[in-house]
Amino acid sequence: MELEEAKLKYIQTWGSLATSWGINKTMAQVHALLLVAAAPLSADAIMETLKISRGNVNMNVRALIDWGIVKKEFVPGERKEFFVADKDIWELFKQITKERKRREIEPVLKVLSELQNDVKDDTEDAKQFKTLMKDLTTVTTTVNTILEKAIKADEHWLLSNFTKLMKK
Amino acid sequence: MELEEAKLKYIQTWGSLATSWGINKTMAQVHALLLVAAAPLSADAIMETLKISRGNVNMNVRALIDWGIVKKEFVPGERKEFFVADKDIWELFKQITKERKRREIEPVLKVLSELQNDVKDDTEDAKQFKTLMKDLTTVTTTVNTILEKAIKADEHWLLSNFTKLMKK
DNA sequence: CTAAACTTTCAATAAATTTTGAAAATATAG
DNA sequence: CTATATTTTCAAAATTTATTGAAAGTTTAG
């Protein structure tokens, strides 16, 4: 297979994975493109390769910059802005995880805890409800704590520790 | 807070979490409703509580049954079908994980591995591409293996083991 | 069997999300 | 400052995804 063909296939695949995990497809594709690019790319280059509009490129590149996984790069003699992706996949994983944890898991934990405390009924049904909330909190907290640990680790914690764990 | 109010709030919260993880909101809400229901519910009861159509109830309940987290229950003297959710949150986590792993992660791993093998170029750029594919494979495989282990465990593996791990 | 109760299907419709593209804003060269 | 290049914004259009509801299918009681 040609390298360029392989790159495009990778960009497509990554885009569909993103879609099924509730991440914008174009955003994932722009990121994938920057990852496999040999050099920093301009907005025009991204537009052309992915066949998307200038506005779309701008919005998604900015989102990626907000997520901290893409950076602007200055190219001497050029007026345009160029973009590069952090090539460290671990960093990508960390950033995405961090963001999702903060925006999605933590608010849910807050609501679950409120619900557990606020229901004052003492019926059998209420007890069952509280038990369910407690169970959901346990699972969610566990996941949240694991992710937190993963994010804070300086080195490839997830890989090394889970490898150890799996050998048990 | 009233118990019924709390139940509705939980159903809403769970629905929005589902949405941002690429899971159908109504499906998550139907499941949440069945989880907090004191008794098995008929399609009519679900329609009424969630204010959704009969067709929508039918489709989502069947999807939940396919996922193995909801079951039909026969109620003596009733002609209608009633539904109950498996109250074990661990079971829910296992089933969802299993399904997503099979449908989403495994196909991606296959493509990544193909791309790594099929590119025959020997340029610097090709080498970098292969390295990227290898890195992505490593992270994805690790996640996949962890999930596999979690699914296969008979008991609350994830909770107990990760708790241990975190105390290190 | 027949009729009523209930479930399933799926084309049409609605809702949510994404994308476009042109106008406005901003930046830089001369 | 002025002209030009470049980026940003955002309302409208397109696309994708979810929902409805009525007709067709199925089951069961009598």
Side-chain angles (χ1 to χ4, degrees):
Chain A
M1 197 190 291
E2 285 298 322
L3 180 57
E4 291 312 307
E5 186 192 343
K7 285 182 177 180
L8 290 177
K9 189 165 180 188
Y10 155 63
I11 290 168
Q12 289 306 320
T13 306
W14 213 242
S16 11
L17 182 66
T19 302
S20 62
W21 285 84
I23 294 166
N24 182 296
K25 189 180 97 186
T26 305
M27 187 167 151
Q29 290 187 333
V30 170
H31 181 254
L33 173 59
L34 291 174
L35 267 183
V36 295
L41 298 182
S42 67
D44 289 277
I46 298 170
M47 281 173 71
E48 206 171 306
T49 311
L50 300 181
K51 311 266 186 280
I52 60 179
S53 73
R54 185 174 300 283
N56 202 1
V57 169
N58 186 273
M59 283 195 152
N60 283 296
V61 164
R62 261 198 321 121
L64 289 166
I65 291 173
D66 286 348
W67 276 38
I69 54 182
V70 161
K71 299 223 168 358
K72 285 187 185 180
E73 186 142 319
F74 176 71
V75 173
E78 282 279 12
R79 203 153 138 183
K80 285 180 194 168
E81 291 178 331
F82 288 76
F83 306 99
V84 284
D86 189 332
K87 305 277 175 185
D88 187 345
I89 297 302
W90 170 247
E91 193 58 34
L92 166 68
F93 182 85
K94 262 169 67 172
Q95 289 300 329
I96 291 178
T97 303
K98 195 172 168 182
E99 194 74 6
R100 300 210 99 172
K101 202 175 85 61
R102 186 178 65 74
R103 292 202 311 207
E104 295 156 11
I105 300 181
E106 283 167 9
V108 167
L109 276 177
K110 194 161 161 288
V111 173
L112 289 179
S113 141
E114 279 167 18
L115 290 176
Q116 237 174 113
N117 296 326
D118 291 1
V119 171
K120 298 299 176 202
D121 299 33
D122 202 33
T123 59
E124 186 52 36
D125 194 14
K127 273 182 205 157
Q128 278 206 8
F129 177 75
K130 285 183 201 170
T131 303
L132 174 66
M133 292 304 108
K134 200 167 136 283
D135 288 354
L136 285 171
T137 305
T138 305
V139 172
T140 315
T141 303
T142 305
V143 172
N144 195 45
T145 312
I146 292 163
L147 297 180
E148 194 150 287
K149 198 93 180 179
I151 293 163
K152 283 189 184 153
D154 287 328
E155 260 316 300
H156 293 196
W157 180 88
L158 190 66
L159 262 58
S160 57
N161 277 276
F162 282 170
T163 304
K164 266 185 240 160
L165 184 66
M166 280 178 287
K167 281 183 186 154
K168 272 184 188 168
Chain B
M1 197 190 292
E2 284 299 321
L3 179 56
E4 291 311 307
E5 185 192 345
K7 284 182 178 179
L8 291 177
K9 188 165 181 190
Y10 156 64
I11 291 168
Q12 290 306 321
T13 306
W14 214 241
S16 9
L17 182 65
T19 302
S20 61
W21 285 84
I23 293 166
N24 182 294
K25 188 180 96 187
T26 305
M27 186 166 151
Q29 289 186 334
V30 170
H31 181 254
L33 174 60
L34 291 174
L35 267 182
V36 295
L41 298 181
S42 67
D44 289 277
I46 298 170
M47 280 173 71
E48 206 172 306
T49 312
L50 299 182
K51 310 268 188 279
I52 60 177
S53 74
R54 186 174 300 283
N56 202 2
V57 169
N58 186 273
M59 283 195 154
N60 283 296
V61 165
R62 262 198 319 121
L64 288 166
I65 291 174
D66 286 348
W67 275 37
I69 54 182
V70 161
K71 299 223 169 357
K72 286 187 185 180
E73 187 146 302
F74 175 72
V75 172
E78 283 277 11
R79 204 153 138 184
K80 285 180 195 166
E81 290 177 332
F82 288 76
F83 306 97
V84 283
D86 189 331
K87 304 278 175 183
D88 186 346
I89 297 302
W90 171 247
E91 193 58 33
L92 165 68
F93 183 85
K94 262 168 66 173
Q95 290 300 329
I96 291 177
T97 304
K98 194 172 167 182
E99 193 75 6
R100 299 210 99 171
K101 201 175 85 61
R102 187 178 64 74
R103 294 201 310 207
E104 294 155 13
I105 300 181
E106 283 166 10
V108 167
L109 276 177
K110 192 159 162 289
V111 173
L112 289 180
S113 140
E114 279 168 17
L115 290 177
Q116 236 175 113
N117 297 326
D118 292 1
V119 171
K120 299 299 175 203
D121 299 31
D122 203 32
T123 58
E124 186 52 35
D125 194 14
K127 274 183 205 158
Q128 278 206 8
F129 177 75
K130 285 182 199 170
T131 303
L132 175 66
M133 292 303 108
K134 200 168 137 282
D135 288 354
L136 284 172
T137 305
T138 304
V139 172
T140 315
T141 303
T142 305
V143 172
N144 195 45
T145 313
I146 291 163
L147 297 180
E148 194 150 286
K149 197 93 182 178
I151 293 163
K152 282 189 184 153
D154 286 328
E155 261 316 300
H156 294 196
W157 179 89
L158 189 65
L159 263 58
S160 58
N161 277 276
F162 281 170
T163 303
K164 267 184 237 160
L165 183 65
M166 281 179 286
K167 283 183 184 152
K168 272 183 189 170

